[in-house]
Amino acid sequence: MSDDTTTTRVATLDAVVFDAPDTQVAADFWQRLTGAEVEQQGYGEDWITLNTPDGWSLAFQPAPDLVPPQWPGQEHPQQAHLDLRVPDVAAAVERAVGLGATVLRENPEWTTLADPAGHPFDLCHAPDNEGLTIMGLTFDVPDASAAAAFWSGVLGDPVVYDAEGMAMLGGDRALLFQQVEGYSAPRWPDPAHPQQLHLDLQVGPRSLDEAEAAALAVGATRLPGGEDTFRVFADPAGHPFCLCTG
């Protein structure tokens, strides 16, 4: 019996790539927060990739002119954020602040903070969790259902929740989508509306031409940029992502 997921998948999630004015500072923060190990430094000496103990790859690319989000407004909005599970929110917040995070909003069940580059993230109460783990990456979108359907088509992961302006894909590394009123999209490479992060996806045995055709068929838009080993696209909400080989 064939696996329908592998036959319909365009690519697999490889890494969450953060723009950062100082990649070493950003990587040091996330390495210490998550207990990750450095996987590689590639695409130039300033590119750093971490592997977390729970199977996520977090990468940091130089962006000296990064316009950081000013959450929760939409003038300089967040575009996506990591949700982290912790057994004790207060203790995790204290530790994160000690590593260089800034508290944005406190809540007994979750607290929103910003990393040293300004990227928001949530520490969420999970009393049975053993330490800190990554629950998923949440995108701000104008239509959660449409975003989930698109990314399900790209990654081949099923939509496991879709209600009240929230949607979620299953899979080992979950993607979530929250509907935002007055959503303001990135318009990469326009510096007035920059990306803050993007996903790198591996195309596996497909050629880049085949993967591009499949991504365009489910609603992606080709963006400028790319080399022999990757091409740049945007999802229907404007979030950039790369299809990569190797």
Side-chain angles (χ1 to χ4, degrees):
M1 181 180 296
S2 65
D3 182 345
D4 289 340
T5 298
T6 60
T7 58
T8 60
R9 175 187 295 142
V10 176
T12 58
L13 176 57
D14 180 36
V16 180
V17 184
F18 291 88
D19 284 10
D22 188 322
T23 56
Q24 191 63 61
V25 169
D28 284 349
F29 170 82
W30 283 100
Q31 183 180 15
R32 295 168 69 189
L33 184 69
T34 64
E37 295 183 352
V38 176
E39 174 191 349
Q40 67 174 20
Q41 295 189 241
Y43 300 105
E45 62 182 12
D46 293 329
W47 178 289
I48 303 172
T49 303
L50 305 178
N51 280 333
T52 70
D54 52 344
W56 287 77
S57 181
L58 307 179
F60 305 88
Q61 68 175 8
D65 298 322
L66 173 69
V67 179
Q70 297 175 13
W71 183 89
Q74 284 295 302
E75 184 175 351
H76 298 289
Q78 75 171 358
Q79 296 163 10
H81 70 274
L82 286 175
D83 288 311
L84 311 175
R85 294 189 182 97
V86 294
D88 184 327
V89 172
V93 168
E94 182 178 5
R95 179 169 176 269
V97 170
L99 295 174
T102 302
V103 174
L104 301 180
R105 185 174 66 185
E106 294 185 90
N107 182 295
E109 292 300 313
W110 76 88
T111 290
T112 303
L113 304 94
D115 73 6
H119 300 289
F121 64 96
D122 285 343
L123 295 174
C124 306
H125 189 218
D128 296 329
N129 224 50
E130 294 185 6
L132 180 148
T133 59
I134 298 175
M135 180 178 75
L137 179 72
T138 300
F139 285 98
D140 285 7
V141 293
D143 186 326
S145 296
F150 169 80
W151 282 102
S152 178
V154 171
L155 298 175
D157 293 329
V159 179
V160 296
Y161 180 84
D162 186 357
E164 299 180 348
M166 290 291 300
M168 177 178 177
L169 299 188
D172 294 336
R173 290 165 291 176
L175 296 186
L176 300 92
F177 309 91
Q178 62 181 10
Q179 206 156 291
V180 174
E181 185 176 353
Y183 172 73
S184 179
R187 304 174 192 172
W188 189 90
D190 181 353
H193 302 273
Q195 70 174 6
Q196 297 157 10
L197 56 79
H198 72 274
L199 297 182
D200 275 354
L201 310 180
Q202 288 289 333
V203 301
R206 290 177 185 259
S207 70
L208 273 177
D209 286 341
E210 292 170 331
E212 175 171 339
L216 296 177
V218 296
T221 301
R222 181 75 159 88
L223 297 180
E227 299 177 359
D228 292 342
T229 58
F230 73 92
R231 294 177 189 172
V232 186
F233 301 83
D235 72 6
H239 298 290
F241 66 94
C242 292
L243 292 178
C244 309
T245 62

